[in-house]
């Protein structure tokens, strides 16, 4: 009987070695392993043996054969599972290799280049990119930002109104957003603190195009709302951004200013390596009224906000004298930047 057990074990091991898929291994497990397997079935023949010693020897041989088959099944199962996973990975593989060859047609616009670089810097600092609609309600664009009807600051925005009446609203209360600050309100209304976002986007004002102004331009705003936020956190963030974007030789400073949606407010400047200063944008601690409009308790949470023009960043970086050059589609101009 020992010979029969050895032959059954060897036949099972040879068959298991031929398994090429998880289904094959599952079928062989049912056939050879367990109490109803072929090897376990040999135990029924132990009763035919005459001596106790023969029965013990045959029983031990059967158990050893079952253990060997179980080990072979486990090893083959692991191998075919790995092969199946590799095949699936290969079939679903996507080539995400960065395209580094210089394109022969087309290139990113200067504003797009600055926009993407700014996003990379702020995301690296822990911010999340948030978006909002370009057509806004008067409430999101002004009132929620502490500029109610009749507020003198609203006259500085040269607003473009849209001929559209929102549901439940009134005529003349829909505008092309004059800044990306409404994204801050929308984020606070839909996300509980802590909040760390930047909001890049296109904005609109009734400006006459000249060397430094366009009626359509681009801004990026930042908002942080958390516990125990102070002006020191704001100053540190501005300085970290300045060095990450421009280089370690650049510095920043804050100067007192006024904005209706922050208190205290400041303008922030950056210092070139040659020592000269350039005004970059505005910032400040989020006004308690703005936090309340965003559904956030100013007694529990505080925050800071900042914003500046992406177009201005682009012309500063590349030394463009007239902002209008970026929008003329003159190939002699655009081919200088790739």
């Amino acid at each position: 009987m020992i010979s029969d057990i050895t032959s059954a074990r060897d036949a099972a091991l040879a068959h298991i070695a031929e398994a090429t898929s998880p289904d094959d291994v599952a079928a062989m497990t049912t056939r050879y392993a367990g109490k109803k397997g072929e090897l376990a079935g040999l135990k029924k023949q132990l009763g035919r043996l005459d001596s106790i010693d023969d029965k013990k020897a045959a029983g031990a041989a059967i158990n050893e054969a079952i253990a060997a088959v179980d080990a072979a099944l486990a090893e083959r199962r692991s191998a075919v599972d790995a092969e199946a996973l590799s095949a699936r990975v290969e079939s679903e593989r996507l080539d995400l290799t960065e395209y580094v060859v210089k394109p022969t047609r087309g290139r990113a616009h200067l504003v797009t280049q600055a926009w993407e670089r700014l996003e990379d810097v702020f995301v690296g600092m822990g911010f999340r990119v948030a978006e909002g609609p370009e057509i806004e309600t008067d409430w999101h664009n002004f009132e929620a930002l502490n500029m109610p009807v009749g507020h003198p600051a609203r006259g500085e925005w040269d607003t473009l109104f849209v001929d559209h009446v929102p549901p439940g609203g009134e005529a003349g209360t829909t505008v092309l957003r004059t800044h990306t600050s409404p994204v801050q309100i929308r984020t606070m209304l839909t996300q509980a603190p802590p909040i760390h976002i930047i909001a890049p986007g296109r904005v609109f004002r009734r400006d006459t195009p000249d060397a430094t102004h366009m009626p359509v331009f681009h801004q990026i705003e930042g908002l942080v709302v958390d516990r125990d936020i102070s002006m020191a956190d704001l100053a540190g963030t501005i300085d970290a951004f300045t060095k990450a974007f421009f280089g370690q030789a650049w510095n920043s400073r804050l100067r007192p200013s006024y904005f209706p949606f922050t208190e205290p407010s400041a303008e922030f400047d950056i210092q070139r390596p040659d020592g000269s200063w350039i005004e970059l944008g505005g910032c400040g601690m989020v006004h308690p009224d703005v936090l309340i409009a965003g559904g956030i308790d100013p007694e529990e949470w505080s925050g800071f906000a900042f914003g500046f023009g992406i177009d201005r960043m682009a012309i500063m970086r590349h030394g463009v004298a007239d902002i209008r050059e970026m929008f003329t589609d003159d190939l002699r101009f655009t081919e200088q930047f790739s």
Side-chain angles (χ1 to χ4, degrees):
M1 187 174 178
I2 297 295
S3 176
D4 293 339
I5 295 171
T6 302
S7 296
R9 179 200 66 191
D10 293 344
L13 294 176
H15 192 198
I16 292 170
E18 298 174 353
T20 58
S21 70
D23 290 340
D24 290 345
V25 175
M28 293 177 189
T29 300
T30 301
R31 178 175 176 180
Y32 297 119
K35 295 181 179 180
K36 296 183 180 180
E38 291 184 4
L39 291 173
L42 292 174
K43 293 182 178 180
K44 297 178 180 178
Q45 300 180 24
L46 295 178
R48 301 176 185 177
L49 300 176
D50 296 328
S51 69
I52 296 297
D53 291 339
D54 289 343
K55 291 180 179 180
K56 288 181 178 181
I62 292 173
N63 290 334
E64 291 174 359
I66 292 174
V69 168
D70 287 343
L73 285 168
E75 182 179 352
R76 194 59 191 152
R77 184 181 299 108
S78 177
V80 297
D81 285 348
E83 292 171 0
L85 178 60
S86 296
R88 180 180 176 184
V89 169
E90 181 61 26
S91 66
E92 298 178 358
R93 183 174 66 88
L94 298 175
D95 185 3
L96 301 179
T97 304
E98 183 179 4
Y99 184 72
V100 296
V101 179
K102 184 177 180 179
T104 56
R105 297 182 63 186
R107 50 183 47 84
H109 191 276
L110 280 184
V111 172
T112 303
Q113 293 179 32
W115 184 322
E116 293 177 346
R117 190 158 179 257
L118 287 166
E119 284 187 348
D120 289 343
V121 169
F122 280 115
V123 169
M125 293 172 62
F127 286 79
R128 179 180 61 86
V129 179
E131 298 178 342
E134 294 180 350
I135 298 178
E136 270 292 7
T137 65
D138 181 89
W139 186 85
H140 287 92
N141 196 77
F142 290 123
E143 293 186 35
L145 293 165
N146 206 31
M147 290 182 283
V149 176
H151 194 287
R154 294 178 64 153
E156 301 174 5
W157 298 96
D158 297 322
T159 310
L160 293 164
F161 288 85
V162 177
D163 186 17
H164 169 72
V165 179
E170 301 177 359
T173 60
T174 308
V175 303
L176 292 177
R177 66 181 181 186
T178 57
H179 45 183
T180 54
S181 298
V183 179
Q184 301 179 16
I185 297 297
R186 291 183 177 274
T187 300
M188 288 190 286
L189 288 171
T190 57
Q191 176 184 334
I195 297 171
H196 300 77
I197 64 159
I198 54 167
R202 185 168 56 172
V203 298
F204 311 82
R205 295 183 191 172
R206 196 188 301 272
D207 286 342
T208 301
D210 58 28
T212 58
H213 297 86
M214 291 290 288
V216 180
F217 55 103
H218 305 81
Q219 283 188 338
I220 185 167
E221 305 234 358
L223 172 68
V224 170
V225 178
D226 210 329
R227 289 186 171 88
D228 303 320
I229 296 296
S230 69
M231 284 291 286
D233 299 303
L234 170 59
T237 299
I238 294 296
D239 194 60
F241 157 73
T242 300
K243 295 185 183 305
F245 188 84
F246 293 100
Q248 291 300 312
W250 294 67
N251 297 304
S252 64
R253 70 181 180 188
L254 303 182
R255 292 179 291 105
S257 186
Y258 168 76
F259 302 104
F261 30 80
T262 53
E263 179 58 38
S265 303
E267 297 278 359
F268 64 92
D269 305 329
I270 56 174
Q271 185 182 35
R272 297 188 182 98
D274 65 8
S276 61
W277 291 90
I278 309 169
E279 179 185 325
L280 192 61
C283 60
M285 299 299 296
V286 180
H287 197 289
D289 290 346
V290 176
L291 291 174
I292 292 172
I296 293 176
D297 183 359
E299 296 296 327
E300 180 180 1
W301 305 93
S302 58
F304 64 75
F306 58 85
F308 51 88
I310 298 177
D311 309 58
R312 188 170 188 180
M313 297 290 286
I315 63 176
M316 285 171 51
R317 184 181 181 200
H318 296 286
V320 178
D322 192 326
I323 194 173
R324 291 171 294 187
E325 294 286 355
M326 294 199 298
F327 303 99
T328 58
D329 293 330
D330 188 333
L331 289 178
R332 294 171 299 179
F333 175 82
T334 58
E335 285 180 346
Q336 299 177 67
F337 313 99
S338 59

